[in-house]
Amino acid sequence: MLIGNNEYQVVSGGDFKLDGGAMFGIVPKTLWQKLRKPDEDNRIQMATNCLLIRTPQYLILVDTGYGTKMTDKERAIYGMSGVSLIDDLATHGVKPDDVDIVILSHLHFDHAGGATVTDLEGQMYPAFPRARYFVQQGEWDDAVNGFATMTATYNLENFTPLMDAGALTLVEGNRDICEGVGVAVTGGHTRHHQMIKATSAGETVVFAGDILPTYSHARGPYNMAYDLFPHETMVQKLQLLEQAASQGWIIVLDHDPLATAGKIVQEKPGRFSFEEIALN
Ligand SMILES: [Zn+2]
């Protein structure tokens, strides 16, 4: 979809399932199961939605899904299914070589897993060979030091090959990556989690990352148990929702299998609804 002078498409980095209780943190199951129906193992269906932004200068990919390096055991635990990011990009006519810039919201496996690929000898290298990759310096530091409650979520194979190849740029704080596309640190989910904001001809699209994983999370306390700082997630999310509603921003939802993007409507203070817009 063309918005301003940029073209946007949501692409899939693969489907998976996560424990419904973990996805809704302190919210009782009696409430969340009405929003997302769990399977017999209490898991709910999740997507890994990635965003392609085609600006007049660059082809930009935001997040990369969980990739193709997961073991069969991990694939079973997370109920992984669906197409790989590379295959889904191909259906949109995009080859790995076409991507100029990759921006990662953070380095958890379901966002950075597709950033690297392995060859038959087990050698890891960047999945997008021409691209420059961007992530927050603080996120990198926390990832390599394993600053996490879910220890397996930072897998060095997903990001150290980027550094080894000289393809990774570590940024500090809010800044533009190229004309009209910038990053803003939210914290909350991880200390240095960032969202990505693209503006062209006055029209703004925001990839919120794990600050707002599905539209069912568009309420203050509806945070994930995976959040390191749930209160910060809540504060940042409410601020984002208010801004998106008042300024007509389109929000991309990184984990929602039911709706990938849409506009926010403020019903009353702290209460929001979501109007889906298909970007593809
Ligand atoms: Zn995630």
Side-chain angles (χ1 to χ4, degrees):
M1 180 187 249
L2 191 67
I3 303 171
N5 299 312
N6 293 344
E7 207 179 295
Y8 298 90
Q9 277 170 329
V10 176
V11 289
S12 173
D15 298 322
F16 68 138
K17 292 180 177 183
L18 288 172
D19 185 85
M23 276 307 292
F24 286 99
I26 59 170
V27 178
K29 186 176 182 181
T30 46
L31 297 181
W32 67 251
Q33 70 181 357
K34 293 180 191 148
L35 307 173
R36 305 278 159 160
K37 196 172 160 34
D39 70 6
E40 62 280 6
D41 293 322
N42 207 46
R43 301 178 303 180
I44 58 173
Q45 189 61 51
M46 293 278 105
T48 60
N49 301 318
C50 311
L51 179 64
L52 265 183
I53 310 171
R54 201 182 288 272
T55 76
Q57 287 91 26
Y58 300 112
L59 183 59
I60 302 166
L61 174 66
V62 179
D63 278 358
T64 62
Y66 52 71
T68 50
K69 303 189 299 301
M70 309 299 287
T71 63
D72 287 346
K73 188 180 165 194
E74 288 165 329
R75 292 189 68 85
I77 290 171
Y78 293 109
M80 290 172 170
S81 66
V83 295
S84 75
L85 174 64
I86 300 290
D87 288 347
D88 201 40
L89 285 170
T91 66
H92 290 85
V94 175
K95 299 188 295 297
D97 259 341
D98 297 336
V99 177
D100 300 302
I101 293 171
V102 178
I103 308 174
L104 300 168
S105 60
H106 61 303
L107 293 172
H108 284 170
F109 79 95
D110 53 325
H111 299 261
T116 63
V117 285
T118 180
D119 65 15
L120 291 174
E121 281 82 51
Q123 190 72 32
M124 309 278 173
Y125 53 95
F128 302 94
R130 278 186 49 255
R132 179 132 295 277
Y133 289 69
F134 293 87
V135 74
Q136 287 289 322
Q137 170 83 57
E139 178 68 14
W140 168 268
D141 294 341
D142 282 351
V144 294
N145 292 311
F147 184 82
T149 48
M150 192 182 165
T151 47
T153 202
Y154 285 131
N155 180 352
L156 294 177
E157 293 180 344
N158 293 336
F159 40 85
T160 54
L162 305 176
M163 190 62 99
D164 296 345
L168 185 61
T169 297
L170 300 175
V171 299
E172 289 185 64
N174 302 355
R175 56 161 272 184
D176 285 341
I177 300 298
C178 63
E179 197 186 329
V181 180
V183 295
V185 177
T186 65
H189 183 62
T190 68
R191 271 200 285 211
H192 302 274
H193 174 280
Q194 62 186 1
M195 54 187 183
I196 292 82
K197 188 173 162 190
T199 302
S200 171
E203 302 282 346
T204 295
V205 176
V206 174
F207 184 94
D210 278 346
I211 289 298
L212 185 65
T214 79
Y215 67 74
S216 300
H217 289 82
R219 294 183 193 189
Y222 282 56
N223 300 321
M224 297 186 279
Y226 307 111
D227 290 345
L228 283 184
F229 305 96
H231 184 264
E232 187 61 22
T233 295
M234 180 173 82
V235 169
Q236 289 282 338
K237 176 169 60 183
L238 292 174
Q239 195 178 309
L240 171 67
L241 289 166
E242 279 169 18
Q243 276 188 309
S246 68
Q247 301 186 40
W249 294 351
I250 292 175
I251 305 290
V252 177
L253 303 166
D254 66 347
H255 286 311
D256 205 326
L258 304 179
T260 57
K263 289 200 174 184
I264 307 294
V265 177
Q266 183 151 16
E267 308 285 358
K268 55 185 182 181
R271 261 322 232 296
F272 302 89
S273 61
F274 182 82
E275 289 178 354
E276 187 186 2
I277 294 174
L279 280 186
N280 296 7

